[in-house]
Amino acid sequence: MAGPAKTAETEPSGTKTDDTNQEAEEELAIPEKFPPAEEASLLGESNDKKSEANALFTSANYENAITKYEEAASVCPHYLDYELAVLKSNIAACHLKLEQWKEAIKAATDSIDGLDRLEKAEAVQKEREEKQQKKEAEEDGVEEEIVSSGAQKSAPAVEKETAAEAARRKRHEDVLRIRAKALMRRARARSELGGWSNLSGAEEDYKVLSTMTNLSHADRKIVQTQLRTLPPRTKAAQEKEMAEMWGKLKDLGNGILKPFGLSTENFKMVKDEKTGGYSMNFSQNGPGQ
């Protein structure tokens, strides 16, 4: 690792942006993979365990289903983010059934994080392919086709979707489907667990879900309902936690000031209407005395 660092230091300052882009791509670099045969074997074993877990979930045996899903995840190659995201989302569903809200949030978040990594890696790969195609076209001396005025007015030819494009589209649809499930599960767990932070997070999840076009009618109805009912709950939780926090700070301040015969009642924050800033006024006898 030391070699590349020294090289970067000796390059002109103008290459800073290129270095940053290179570092970003290295972070999304495809991890080392198993040989194809070994990968297929591990994935097959993982899918077998997943099928067992699905059967356990269907029979409402959620604790054992979690164990099987986790076994499936441990066997699955670590770089298969989509397959792992499906397993994590299923684990979240089990925790919801058991009303284990914190565990459900973690599993759903792991699923969403995996899908984020996958989409970033695929975006980088797509950009690389497009750059390579452009480079090859330039090297081959491909010139832009001169289109006649009559041809411009005619309907454009419909390009046939390639196998790679079809596979990429199918994967994108699958990612959106699992993302919607994971977001629904995390949002519900956050809403059930409560508290200012969780309720705010649930609102954000439901807002994202409201922009997705692949939700079922039932899920969309849940999203719309939650976006109406959550804001007042979030505000109430915020006010409660803020009041508790200020109460604790006041108790702490009184403990510090007590040896000096003072308390927080001796201090008052006064807003300057001209500047919008605040100043602290001191009163020996406390406010209103």
Side-chain angles (χ1 to χ4, degrees):
M1 297 299 294
K6 291 181 180 178
T7 303
E9 290 174 2
T10 58
E11 290 178 351
S13 58
T15 63
K16 184 176 181 180
T17 302
D18 294 337
D19 291 342
T20 303
N21 292 337
Q22 183 179 355
E23 289 174 4
E25 289 189 0
E26 286 175 355
E27 289 179 359
L28 297 172
I30 299 174
E32 186 176 352
K33 296 185 177 181
F34 291 107
E38 186 175 358
E39 178 184 303
S41 176
L42 290 170
L43 185 57
E45 183 180 351
S46 177
N47 286 336
D48 288 342
K49 292 182 181 296
K50 176 186 172 185
S51 296
E52 293 179 45
N54 289 342
L56 290 167
F57 182 90
T58 302
S59 62
N61 193 343
Y62 304 121
E63 290 281 6
N64 288 331
I66 290 172
T67 300
K68 273 301 172 190
Y69 281 130
E70 288 177 341
E71 289 178 7
S74 67
V75 173
C76 183
H78 64 90
Y79 50 82
L80 297 181
D81 286 314
Y82 175 77
E83 287 76 6
L84 288 169
V86 172
L87 293 170
K88 295 294 185 180
S89 179
N90 289 351
I91 290 172
C94 293
H95 285 303
L96 282 180
K97 292 292 186 180
L98 296 168
E99 298 187 357
Q100 297 170 341
W101 313 125
K102 289 183 180 180
E103 292 81 357
I105 293 169
K106 183 182 183 307
T109 299
D110 288 343
S111 176
I112 294 165
D113 288 345
L115 295 176
D116 288 342
R117 287 193 300 273
L118 176 64
E119 289 190 324
K120 288 177 182 177
E122 290 185 345
V124 169
Q125 181 62 26
K126 183 180 179 182
E127 184 179 355
R128 287 173 179 168
E129 291 175 359
E130 290 174 349
K131 286 181 179 179
Q132 182 63 28
Q133 290 173 358
K134 183 178 179 181
K135 181 179 179 182
E136 290 174 356
E138 291 174 350
E139 290 176 351
D140 292 341
V142 176
E143 297 180 357
E144 183 179 351
E145 182 181 359
I146 301 176
V147 183
S148 66
S149 59
Q152 287 178 344
K153 295 178 181 178
S154 64
V158 178
E159 295 184 5
K160 187 176 180 180
E161 186 179 47
T162 66
E165 289 170 341
R168 186 176 287 125
R169 175 178 54 78
K170 176 65 166 58
R171 172 52 65 91
H172 179 66
E173 292 171 355
D174 289 340
V175 167
L176 286 178
R177 177 171 55 84
I178 300 305
R179 183 182 293 279
K181 287 186 176 182
L183 281 168
M184 287 293 294
R185 289 163 183 170
R186 186 172 70 176
R188 186 196 161 191
R190 283 173 160 175
S191 178
E192 294 285 357
L193 186 58
W196 181 17
S197 177
N198 284 314
L199 293 174
S200 296
E203 272 194 72
E204 291 303 315
D205 285 343
Y206 283 123
K207 285 177 182 177
V208 173
L209 285 160
S210 70
T211 67
M212 300 180 74
T213 59
N214 62 331
L215 297 186
S216 67
H217 176 72
D219 283 346
R220 188 163 298 283
K221 192 171 182 179
I222 290 172
V223 170
Q224 292 170 347
T225 300
Q226 290 296 323
L227 286 176
R228 287 195 304 269
T229 60
L230 271 174
R233 289 182 60 200
T234 304
K235 184 177 180 181
Q238 178 187 12
E239 291 173 350
K240 179 183 177 183
E241 291 183 22
M242 290 293 289
E244 291 173 352
M245 181 186 70
W246 284 116
K248 290 178 181 178
L249 288 173
K250 188 174 180 180
D251 291 342
L252 177 62
N254 286 335
I256 295 172
L257 295 169
K258 186 176 180 180
F260 303 97
L262 300 172
S263 74
T264 53
E265 297 298 326
N266 294 104
F267 300 90
K268 183 180 180 181
M269 299 296 293
V270 180
K271 183 178 181 180
D272 188 330
E273 297 299 336
K274 294 182 179 179
T275 64
Y278 286 84
S279 61
M280 181 178 290
N281 289 351
F282 173 74
S283 173
Q284 182 67 43
N285 298 320
Q289 296 183 18

